[in-house]
Structure formats: structure tokens, C-alpha cells
Amino acid sequence: MKLSVIIVNYNVEHFLEQALNSVFKALRNVDGEVFVVDNNSADGSLAMMASKFPQVKVIANKDNVGFAKANNQAIRLSQGEYVLLLNPDTVVEEDTFEKCIRFMDETPDAGGLGVKMVNGKGEFLPESKRGIPLPSVAFYKLFGLSKLFPHSRKFGSYHLTYLSNDEIHSVEVLAGAFMMLRKSVLDEIGLLDEDYFMYGEDIDLSYRILKGGYKNYYFPETRIIHYKGESTKTGSLNYVHVFYKAMQIFARKHFSQKNAKIYNALINCAIWFRASLAALKRIFSTLLLPLIDFIFIYAGIFVLSRYWDLNILASRHSFFPKSYYYLVIPAYILVWLVSIACCKGYRKPIRLANVNKGILIGTVLILLVYALLPETLRFSRAVVLLGSMWTVIIVNLIRYVIGRLHIKGTALAGEDRRRVAVIGAPDEARRVLDMMRMTDAKCEFSGIITLEGQSDVTSPYIGCVDHVSDLIPLYHLNEIVFCARDLSSEQIIDWMGRLQSFQVEYKIAPENSAAVIGSNSIFSSDDMYTIPVHSILQKENRRSKRAFDLCSSLVLLLLLPVDIWFVNGKCGFVRNIFQVLAGKKSWVGCRLQEYPLLRPGVLHPVDAFSSHTFSEEMVALAERLYTQDYKVKVDVMTMTKGFRLLGRNDER
């Protein structure tokens, strides 16, 4: 056997499914086997593999034993000449394995091989090639010198940034996300060191390959997509701590006692340095917008007060005291800012309704306190009212300008709606589009881009993939979804690289999957269309649903003289009200027989999308979504949009 592919999985079911799809495509011309070691996942990973990939050799651990130990479990059982350690959050090209094996066969001194990795946006990942983290190298990385001088052999040694990303190189360290190893070398130098739990084992193994007299190679003639977990964000304090612990083990194992102490001291300094930077960054980002608000509000009210002072009060031989400008006006502004904060006006995305509500409450509080003050401290109610008007104008204007600058994280609520195009054959693209409509309420525009010009494809067809660079600005698209059934991984990665200048998000829809995946972080559900789990079969959800049915039925009954005129089938409407009150029906239910615990529904989940016609497959998916992720607001939306159908007399 030529190749053993080993994947360690922990709670990333949909990413694992996508990875396995790509792996088996890449194994078509390779004699290989696939192991998945599951570290006690709580999601549906094991069930998914049993139903979709029965050929996978599964090792189901009862605990999370870590990356190194889990890989070793499978390596000991593997039969391949080469062993590939592969992350579950990856997508390999169809010829990746063939190219890598050919290179390894032709390069007898190669102990290990890594490939060119790109992230979910098609951007090159620098960890594709790395150097040994000697004390000086680690110091340059942790203190940011490697970023300042990337082309320097001295400072750029951690990610070897002075080497071309597109040429084959002998490197020191391979990334654990894709690590092809010669099995005979592993038999000689030993398996992964199980003292490492999450990070560092790939560095340790790479170093031992070099010490064994072999070489590690960076091989950019094939590519993989590597989505990255939250814990791998190098700017996070969590990453620095985990990295520190791994490097402690590495230093203790491979450096002299003196060098290990220096190394640990340097990393301790780096942790405090990074922690301080992170804290300052959080404080700055939190206070920046309130500070901008304060400056502009103060400037406006200061000018307004000076005008009032010199033109209105002067005619009455009266003036504002100096304390008014330096104490009273700032106090007014602080009340407004605190009120905005209490009304969640500084939360992202920015909601102008919350901002204006905060200003209104702040104004009322100022006027209430103003009324209780003695006459000598009541300076001018008119300035307070005019100042509140200025505050409303300038604060809204500030947010509008910031939103127009398209700074990340500053979009106004409602402006972050997705404009999506799905690229694939018409039937598969329509399936994916229908699924997205059901799982995402923020999709403002959606269209299909076919692989060839097909004039017979009806709406929402918007064009051919050859013209995608023209379609993106034409339709203001901000998200592209690739159908993996119709496009190879190589084509998808090519398009991601070609379209980088447009700053669009990319997602991939695996074949026969109920998930569309494309997050830069494997734990960021905001960037995934998938089926959550909040089952209607849970007792609290069934109670909530029954309570909603009772309350809504009573309201409809009380308003019967009015609401009956807006419903088709008036007799059926009255009958349905009493049947729902009696518990024989529910206002929203499923047509399929798969959910026996649910009462028959007057309406069905697809009635919330009355403007669309769905296939039976999509109807089944909508009902699955409804039962697995039940929320009362879904019933409210379905009844609102399907109000005229409440007199329906359908049976399940």
C-alpha cells in the first residue's frame, strides 16, 4: 500500500465531511487507506462517517487524547509506505497525493513533505514553511521583528519569508496540517512525542527528521485550503500561552539547560509583551468611538454655547461661568454617552435605533436633573435641547461616515447583508441556493453563475463563470459559493486566487451535504450555512411551542371580527383556532411522517417562503431545519407571512 491518510477530528463534523470528500477524490489513482481518529466529539461526526464514508477506518476515543497521541494510534495500524497527517479543516486538490508521492519516490533523502497552503480567502499561509524556533528565531517572531523585516535571512527565519513561496525548498519545519512522512523514517526516529498536546509536535518531529539525516521539503506544486481554528490565531493570548508550553517542552528536550532557561525567559517576556499589547488594543478599540463622539459633540455645543453667551445672554447682562464650559458641558456629554452605552449603542454592528434611544434617554435624564437644581445652577434649558439635537445629528453622521469607509467591524446594522452568487451546474447551484435561503436571513441578493453560458437557465441565472470578474462589481457581490460537485479543488483554489482583489468571501458547498463551508475560522459559525441543533423534541421547546399556540389562538379568537376578513377559508380558520386550542393541531408543523411527536400543522415551514417554489428535497430540508433548530420566532414569521393560509384544512 502506498499511502495512509490520518485525520484527527474533534467537533468539526462539516469540515471533516468536506475534507474526506476531497481526500477520496485525490485517492482515485492511489493505493491508499484513510484513518479518522475521533477525540470524543460531541457533534455528529461519527454518525456522518458511518453513513457517508463507511470505508474510513475509525478510531473512536472516549476522551480527547490530543493531537500527537491520536495520530500515533493510527500510525501504528497504518500499512502505507507513506503516512500523511492531515487536518480535518483542509481541502486537497485532486492530484495532490499523486504529485507528492511522485516527488517522495524521486527524492530518497526526503523524510517529510509539506505543501503550499492557502486560507479560506485564497491567501498564502506563511506556516507552509518554517524554521526551527531557536531562541533568537522565536524572539524575532514573538516580538514582531519577523513581520517588520520579512526578507531578512536573520529576522525572517521563523516562516522563512526570504524564500519564494512558489519554488521547492529544503526547509526545517513542516506544518502538522499537511505532513507527508516516509514510514521507514518514522520507524527509525520514532512517532510523535505525546508530551505535546496541541502544538509543537510537528516542530519536534521535523527536527528529529533532520537529526536523523533526512530532509524536509516545501513542495508548492500542489496546494491545499486550510481553514484555521480560533486557537491558532497568533494574535490571541490563548495561542501565545499554548505556544509557550509547547516551546518549553521543545527547549527542555533539544537545548542545553542554559539555553533552555534563556529561551523560557525570552518567551515569558514575549507573553507579557503580547498580553500588554492585546489589553491596550482592546481598551483603544472600546474607547475610540466614544472619544470621537465626545470631541465632536463638545465642539458643537461649545460653539452653540458661545453664540448663546455672546448674543442672547449678553443682551440680558448675563454670562455662562467658565465652569459651564469645562464642567457642565462635559457632564452633559458623559450622560449622553453612558446612556448610549447602556442602550447597546456601541455594540457592533452599530444600530442607529439604539444610539438615538440612548440620546433620548440621556436628554430626559439631563432635563429631569436640571428641573431639580436651584435657580442659580440652571444655566439654559434651550442649550440642552439644542445640544441634544446637535448630538443626534453629529453622532449619526459619524457612524454614517465610518460605515462608508468600510472599516472592518464598523458596518451599520442592516448593511452587512449578503449578496451571494453560487457557481456550479444549474441543478446543484439551485439546491445550494435554496438551502442558503432557508438558513440565512441576511441574504439580500442571490444568483447562479453557471460553468458555461446557458441561455435556457431561468432566473436567478446572472451569467457564466468566465465573466465572474465583471459580475462581482455589476451585482455588488460580496460572497461567492463554489459547488464542489461541479468544480475541482484545483479550480476553486485558482478562482480564489484570481479574485482576491475583489475582497469577497468564499465558501464551498460539498456534494450531497447540508452545509456550506467557508469560514476563516473553523469555530466561527457566522461564516457557515449549516444545520444547528436546538431540537423541537426537547421538552422546553415543545412547551414553548405549545404556549405560543395557545397564546396566538386566544389573540386570534379575541380579534376574530377583524382578522377573519384577511384569511382565505373563513370557516376553516375558526375551526383551526379551536383545534389548536384543543391540542389537536399546531399553527406550524411538518407534512412528513418523520416527526410523530409533532401535532399536524396548519402551516408548514416552507410557507415562510411563499415567494419561492421548492422541490420535495428542499421541503424535507426545511422541515429538518425547523425541527433541529426550533425557535418561537420561526412560528411567528411563518404565521405572519402565511396569514391568509390560516384557514387551510390540510392533513399531514
Side-chain angles (χ1 to χ4, degrees), residues 279-347:
L280 289 172
K281 184 179 177 181
R282 279 195 296 271
I283 293 170
F284 179 76
S285 61
T286 302
L287 297 181
L288 180 59
L289 187 54
L291 182 61
I292 292 172
D293 286 343
F294 186 96
I295 292 170
F296 279 91
I297 296 170
Y298 183 85
I301 298 180
F302 184 90
V303 171
L304 177 66
S305 299
R306 287 298 294 166
Y307 175 85
W308 200 266
D309 206 352
L310 298 174
N311 294 278
I312 306 299
L313 297 182
S315 62
R316 303 173 189 168
H317 306 289
S318 176
F319 297 94
F320 289 134
K322 285 186 178 181
S323 61
Y324 181 81
Y325 293 98
Y326 304 118
L327 292 176
V328 177
I329 294 178
Y332 291 163
I333 298 172
L334 286 175
V335 172
W336 280 316
L337 296 185
V338 170
S339 297
I340 292 172
C342 291
C343 292
K344 303 177 183 179
Y346 288 111
R347 285 197 181 179

Side-chain angles (χ1 to χ4, degrees), residues 611-631:
S611 59
H612 300 289
T613 302
F614 295 110
S615 64
E616 286 300 315
E617 180 187 5
M618 287 298 107
V619 170
L621 176 60
E623 297 195 348
R624 183 182 171 199
L625 284 168
Y626 177 77
T627 57
Q628 291 195 358
D629 189 36
Y630 175 75
K631 294 182 178 67

Side-chain angles (χ1 to χ4, degrees), residues 420-439 446-448 481-486 507-513 515-517 529 617-618 621:
V420 183
V422 181
I423 300 178
D427 59 330
E428 177 68 357
R430 197 176 297 276
R431 179 190 77 84
V432 172
L433 205 55
D434 285 346
M435 184 178 69
M436 289 166 58
R437 283 168 176 163
M438 293 176 187
T439 56
S446 55
I448 291 173
V481 180
F482 300 99
C483 295
R485 191 200 73 176
D486 307 317
K507 294 180 171 59
I508 300 175
E511 184 178 0
N512 298 322
S513 175
V516 178
I517 302 167
Y529 301 106
E617 180 187 5
M618 287 298 107
L621 176 60

Side-chain angles (χ1 to χ4, degrees), residues 88-351:
D89 55 337
T90 57
V91 178
V92 301
E93 292 182 341
E94 284 71 12
D95 58 357
T96 291
F97 298 162
E98 294 175 66
K99 286 182 175 179
C100 291
I101 289 171
R102 189 181 307 120
F103 179 85
M104 294 289 281
D105 286 344
E106 295 171 354
T107 315
D109 67 344
L113 180 74
V115 298
K116 186 176 186 177
M117 299 189 295
V118 299
N119 64 14
K121 292 186 176 182
E123 299 163 339
F124 175 75
L125 289 173
E127 55 264 37
S128 300
K129 48 184 172 63
R130 288 181 291 173
I132 295 293
L134 300 171
S136 59
V137 174
F139 176 84
Y140 300 146
K141 177 188 182 293
L142 289 169
F143 282 90
L145 293 173
S146 58
K147 282 189 176 181
L148 290 174
F149 308 102
H151 301 299
S152 165
R153 281 185 172 269
K154 181 178 182 179
F155 297 122
S157 296
Y158 189 85
H159 285 129
L160 305 179
T161 45
Y162 55 87
L163 297 178
S164 170
N165 298 336
D166 301 313
E167 296 177 7
I168 298 172
H169 299 287
S170 172
V171 297
E172 293 176 328
V173 175
L174 304 174
F178 184 105
M179 201 172 189
M180 184 172 282
L181 306 161
R182 201 180 295 273
K183 182 71 178 300
S184 59
V185 173
L186 286 176
D187 293 336
E188 182 181 333
I189 67 170
L191 305 185
L192 281 76
D193 189 336
E194 295 180 9
D195 286 342
Y196 300 92
F197 184 81
M198 188 172 180
Y199 292 106
E201 62 285 308
D202 50 355
I203 300 175
D204 180 89
L205 185 59
S206 298
Y207 189 53
R208 285 191 284 124
I209 290 172
L210 298 178
K211 289 176 70 176
Y214 299 92
K215 290 183 178 180
N216 296 313
Y217 283 93
Y218 166 67
F219 184 70
E221 294 183 8
T222 187
R223 302 158 299 177
I224 69 168
I225 300 172
H226 179 209
Y227 304 100
K228 300 176 68 178
E230 194 71 25
S231 56
T232 64
K233 290 183 178 178
T234 56
S236 71
L237 192 57
N238 176 61
Y239 169 81
V240 176
H241 275 296
V242 176
F243 179 83
Y244 164 66
K245 288 181 180 178
M247 290 302 97
Q248 265 192 327
I249 298 170
F250 184 82
R252 195 165 56 241
K253 184 176 178 181
H254 297 292
F255 298 158
S256 66
Q257 186 175 0
K258 179 181 177 182
N259 285 340
K261 286 182 178 178
I262 296 172
Y263 192 85
N264 290 335
L266 287 174
I267 294 181
N268 269 322
C269 290
I271 287 176
W272 284 106
F273 179 71
R274 286 288 187 93
S276 301
L277 285 181
L280 289 172
K281 184 179 177 181
R282 279 195 296 271
I283 293 170
F284 179 76
S285 61
T286 302
L287 297 181
L288 180 59
L289 187 54
L291 182 61
I292 292 172
D293 286 343
F294 186 96
I295 292 170
F296 279 91
I297 296 170
Y298 183 85
I301 298 180
F302 184 90
V303 171
L304 177 66
S305 299
R306 287 298 294 166
Y307 175 85
W308 200 266
D309 206 352
L310 298 174
N311 294 278
I312 306 299
L313 297 182
S315 62
R316 303 173 189 168
H317 306 289
S318 176
F319 297 94
F320 289 134
K322 285 186 178 181
S323 61
Y324 181 81
Y325 293 98
Y326 304 118
L327 292 176
V328 177
I329 294 178
Y332 291 163
I333 298 172
L334 286 175
V335 172
W336 280 316
L337 296 185
V338 170
S339 297
I340 292 172
C342 291
C343 292
K344 303 177 183 179
Y346 288 111
R347 285 197 181 179
K348 298 173 183 177
I350 298 166
R351 299 183 183 277

Side-chain angles (χ1 to χ4, degrees), residues 491-540:
Q491 289 174 310
I492 292 171
I493 295 173
D494 282 342
W495 277 113
M496 289 166 66
R498 237 179 284 175
L499 300 174
Q500 270 190 34
S501 60
F502 290 100
Q503 298 295 307
V504 296
E505 296 291 328
Y506 303 110
K507 294 180 171 59
I508 300 175
E511 184 178 0
N512 298 322
S513 175
V516 178
I517 302 167
S519 167
N520 274 326
S521 164
I522 63 174
F523 303 123
S524 176
S525 60
D526 288 345
D527 286 339
M528 286 181 63
Y529 301 106
T530 185
I531 299 175
V533 179
H534 192 236
S535 176
I536 187 65
L537 302 182
Q538 295 174 359
K539 288 183 180 179
E540 59 269 27

